[in-house]
């Protein structure tokens, strides 16, 4: 039987790669749902190629245009704010790939978990913001959360079969981004164009800026804390510019397990879609002839204070990660629009984290309120 | 309940380290059997400290002396050729650590498997010589073979929980030994003293020479073939001088898993003794500050033709690995006694492999005959 897949955010970087992977294995998967916010053209192309049951266009202004274009196909077209959370419940869906950008992934993810769907989680903000809610819901509903990030997929792969063996710490590897070797002084003058040139990974704009500022690594630390039930001090970051070791787990006996490979998101995508089966692929293989040196260095928290902000959010708990995420979305947008220098981003996030009221045990509504207030406040600091 | 342990070869490098590990966990293990060939003094000390049920001294000439020395203890003292195979069957034994050197481990290992004991396998010659017999017997008796070699332990750890997922290849890492950077010319003049200085691992003399000649890596390749059911072309060697990555598995999806740690045999020993539980240890931890560079290079088969001999033995099958092992024991002894230059060792092994009659499906007796004839022939070439 084919595995029924819903892809939330199918026109983004992860979504399009997931569809390429799915196209390579015609017997394995059936595409049930595709969603996008604004990209009508690509969503139409995808609908024609993969013939899902349903497509959802988030922005209601595009609904009419998309409906007309898809009128000749047996594909239902929906739109509107609450539709994501409804379509993920469709019976034909086995696994929901949450690949939309930002905070919008939270409600549909919770809804999918509550309907007992496996989650391939590529929307990291979901876990960053509301990790506790999501993980508790997944445990209650006995649902696997399969991380699609290369780092968390690496850790997940290292933990398979380890049963009750305890994690001593995890070591998240970081490429260090395009600004790893710049001085603090030089960081003052970097442009969005420079920041968008990631050395190893080809990703969307938001996450590429987050990689340059190491906020992405901070988010991954928070994500890991929830996914693998860790204390902040059990999460370590090591800069590994070649991005060959995707992350590591150190167990209580002192043994370290690592997952490695060429930097290619298709591998963690395929792993999550196929789990527990590893599906044979023809992806290019790691060859040590091309990587005779793997190097490791300390992450520089002085140059990249976003790391400190992330650990601060982990330690404080409650709604603080939500503030971190919301403020970060605002400042990254401002940086991309050349309204804010690179090094000012962390300052504004910290100020927002200092001022928004702390909520110890936030629910969904609290997160939505915190998110909105944090954005407003961060904007006011610009 | 404590796990009952028999250690065959308790006075050797692995045996003594295993006892140190056991001493660290007084609640976990009970030492049931200790054996040694000649080292009466150390065996007596170990018997006094660990109070096993039985000790066996292999060399019958030492029996009387050992018996007298242990007369005040409630420890049975045995000797004689067949005793090993009998004592491993004792009901109080759960796991047999086969840590004796060379071919002598074969019969006791088979006997232990047939009595349903778990095997912690540190005697690599056993698998090299008669891998097929051992693995088939282990499968028939549903017995775990837990490798104690750091390389095979690494692979075993990477495979835990992978279920039916297929191995594409394994990558055995090799330190490259003390002569890695010597020219072929310089290899002509190396002495036993130089060969005994291994860069990373502290081991017995025989295995240290095997490491310098890369025969150890060839043996490990053959061992891996049997342990993990591989074709010769699925086994690859990569020289990794820091010995931090202990070996790797590449799966059919292209993902590579690695196990890492400081070079310390106590870790794979503890893993095998405790499996499936990872027991918390205070062994020194890997710190990338001390290992900022991990390097990889191709193994030089021209300088170290033993690698080619091992792949030849794997491909031919039958009793050829047995010839390889027997001839190697003879030439290593000759080299250690300064009767044979380092680079001549491979020549004599090859000649022996060319001349001893091929047996396609050898049984235990065939192996014993092949072993004896190969030794005699290799000696005649000296």
């Amino acid at each position: 039987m084919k595995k029924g897949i819903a892809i939330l955010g199918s026109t983004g970087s992860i979504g399009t790669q997931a569809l390429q992977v799915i196209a390579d294995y015609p017997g394995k998967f059936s595409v049930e749902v595709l969603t996008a916010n604004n990209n009508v053209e690509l969503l139409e192309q995808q609908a024609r190629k993969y013939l899902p049951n349903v497509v959802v266009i988030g922005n209601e202004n595009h609904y009419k245009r998309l409906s007309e274009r898809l009128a000749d196909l047996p594909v239902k077209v929906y739109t509107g704010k609450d539709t994501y959370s409804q379509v993920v419940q469709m019976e034909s869906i086995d696994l929901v790939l949450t690949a939309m950008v930002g905070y919008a992934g939270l409600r549909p993810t919770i809804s999918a978990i509550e309907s007992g769907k496996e989650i391939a989680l590529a929307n990291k903000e979901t876990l960053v913001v509301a990790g506790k809610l999501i993980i508790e819901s997944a445990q209650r509903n006995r649902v696997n959360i399969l991380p699609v990030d290369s780092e968390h997929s690496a850790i997940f792969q290292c933990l398979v079969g380890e049963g009750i063996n305890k994690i001593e710490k995890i070591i998240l590897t970081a490429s260090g981004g395009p600004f790893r070797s710049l001085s603090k002084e030089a960081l003052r003058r970097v442009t969005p164009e420079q920041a968008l040139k990631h050395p190893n990974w080809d990703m969307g704009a938001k996450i590429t800026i987050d990689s340059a500022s190491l906020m992405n690594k901070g988010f991954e630390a928070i994500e890991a804390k929830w996914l693998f039930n860790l204390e902040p001090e059990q999460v370590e970051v090591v800069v590994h510019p070649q991005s060959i070791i995707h992350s590591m787990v150190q167990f209580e006996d002192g043994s370290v397990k690592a997952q490695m490979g060429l930097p290619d998101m298709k591998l963690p995508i395929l792993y999550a879609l196929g789990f527990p089966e590893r599906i044979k692929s023809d992806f290019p293989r790691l060859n040590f002839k091309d990587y005779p040196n793997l190097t490791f260095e300390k992450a520089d928290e002085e140059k990249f204070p976003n790391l400190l902000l992330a650990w601060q959010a982990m330690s404080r708990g409650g709604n603080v990660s939500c503030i971190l995420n919301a403020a970060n979305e605002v400042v990254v947008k401002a940086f991309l629009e050349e309204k804010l220098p690179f090094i000012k981003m962390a300052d504004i996030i910290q100020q927002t984290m200092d001022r928004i009221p702390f909520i110890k045990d936030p629910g969904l509504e609290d997160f939505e309120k915190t998110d909105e207030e944090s954005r407003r406040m961060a904007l006011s600091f610009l």
Side-chain angles (χ1 to χ4, degrees), chain A:
Chain A
M1 256 248 316
K2 291 187 186 183
K3 206 182 258 189
I5 310 284
I7 303 182
L8 307 185
S10 66
T11 59
S13 169
I14 296 290
T16 50
Q17 291 182 76
L19 284 173
Q20 287 164 26
V21 167
I22 287 171
D24 287 345
Y25 300 95
K28 290 266 182 202
F29 308 105
S30 74
V31 177
E32 298 295 319
V33 172
L34 297 175
T35 82
N37 256 335
N38 289 297
N39 196 338
V40 171
E41 282 67 30
L42 185 51
L43 189 57
E44 182 199 348
Q45 283 173 34
Q46 292 177 342
R48 291 199 176 278
K49 179 162 179 189
Y50 296 94
L51 289 176
N53 257 311
V54 171
V55 298
V56 182
I57 184 83
N59 185 335
E60 300 188 15
N61 297 327
H62 300 312
Y63 172 68
K64 195 160 164 267
R65 191 152 58 101
L66 184 66
S67 292
E68 285 167 7
R69 289 189 178 209
L70 293 178
D72 61 320
L73 295 183
V75 173
K76 298 183 204 81
V77 182
Y78 296 148
T79 188
K81 215 178 144 194
D82 297 330
T83 321
Y84 298 122
S85 300
Q86 284 163 32
V87 294
V88 295
Q89 300 175 14
M90 279 172 47
E91 206 181 317
S92 57
I93 298 171
D94 299 300
L95 178 144
V96 176
L97 171 62
T98 63
M100 67 259 280
V101 174
Y103 176 68
L106 183 50
R107 277 191 187 265
T109 304
I110 296 269
S111 170
I113 292 172
E114 285 173 355
S115 316
K117 313 301 186 191
E118 269 198 325
I119 306 293
L121 195 111
N123 170 259
K124 67 178 62 179
E125 288 84 353
T126 313
L127 267 188
V128 170
V129 169
K132 197 166 174 235
L133 285 184
I134 299 223
I135 293 301
E136 285 174 358
S137 177
Q139 283 167 349
R140 225 173 20 243
N141 293 282
R142 294 166 191 264
V143 158
N144 280 326
I145 305 256
L146 304 159
V148 171
D149 246 357
S150 74
E151 290 79 358
H152 302 93
S153 177
I155 293 163
F156 188 95
Q157 291 179 53
C158 291
L159 289 175
V160 156
E162 289 290 345
I164 56 158
N165 290 325
K166 288 205 190 98
I167 298 173
E168 189 163 271
K169 70 174 178 186
I170 62 163
I171 304 164
L172 289 174
T173 52
S175 71
F179 304 146
R180 175 173 63 95
S181 5
L182 291 191
S183 68
K184 217 180 160 184
E185 194 44 42
L187 274 181
R188 290 180 191 281
R189 291 180 303 272
V190 296
T191 65
E193 201 189 352
Q194 290 172 307
L196 287 170
K197 280 188 193 134
H198 193 275
N200 301 327
W201 297 96
D202 181 19
M203 307 174 292
K206 158 78 167 49
I207 192 175
T208 304
I209 302 302
D210 285 344
S211 293
S213 70
L214 268 62
M215 182 57 93
N216 185 49
K217 212 47 61 178
F219 284 158
E220 286 174 6
I222 299 172
E223 234 186 323
K225 171 198 159 52
W226 291 116
L227 280 169
F228 308 116
N229 190 23
L230 303 169
E231 297 300 318
E233 56 274 16
Q234 287 179 289
V235 184
E236 192 176 302
V237 170
V238 169
V239 173
H240 166 48
Q242 298 81 26
S243 295
I244 293 300
I245 296 186
H246 295 154
S247 278
M248 298 171 252
V249 178
Q250 181 169 305
F251 295 94
E252 282 198 326
D253 59 355
S255 179
V256 175
K257 272 163 84 173
Q259 187 270 338
M260 308 163 81
L262 296 177
D264 181 351
M265 282 309 295
K266 284 189 182 168
L267 185 51
I269 290 170
L270 179 63
Y271 185 80
L273 294 181
F275 180 82
E277 183 193 352
R278 288 184 183 272
I279 299 173
K280 189 172 177 146
S281 85
D282 58 0
F283 304 155
R285 299 306 198 236
L286 172 61
N287 188 331
F288 283 101
K289 213 169 56 191
D290 306 321
Y291 293 92
N293 272 283
L294 299 182
T295 66
F296 305 88
E297 54 196 72
K298 207 176 161 312
D300 188 336
E301 294 165 343
E302 211 201 318
K303 260 163 59 183
F304 300 103
N306 279 344
L307 288 174
L308 298 173
L309 297 181
W311 261 259
Q312 191 184 314
M314 267 196 274
S315 301
R316 290 179 63 198
N319 63 336
V320 181
S321 300
C322 179
I323 309 172
L324 177 80
N325 174 63
N328 182 61
E329 281 195 28
V330 170
V331 297
V332 168
K333 185 154 179 287
F335 171 69
L336 281 170
E337 294 167 351
E338 302 192 54
K339 291 176 186 159
L340 188 72
F342 187 80
I343 59 156
K344 288 287 177 198
M345 292 196 290
D347 295 345
I348 291 182
I349 300 169
Q350 176 74 75
Q351 287 172 48
T352 312
M353 286 167 73
D354 290 346
R355 306 254 187 114
I356 295 286
F358 179 70
I359 304 173
K360 192 161 184 280
D361 280 312
L364 265 180
E365 262 80 60
D366 297 312
F367 283 127
E368 277 161 18
K369 199 168 147 234
T370 299
D371 181 70
E372 196 189 315
E373 285 178 359
S374 304
R375 281 169 204 271
R376 206 176 322 131
M377 186 172 288
L379 268 173
S380 76
F381 291 136
L382 284 178

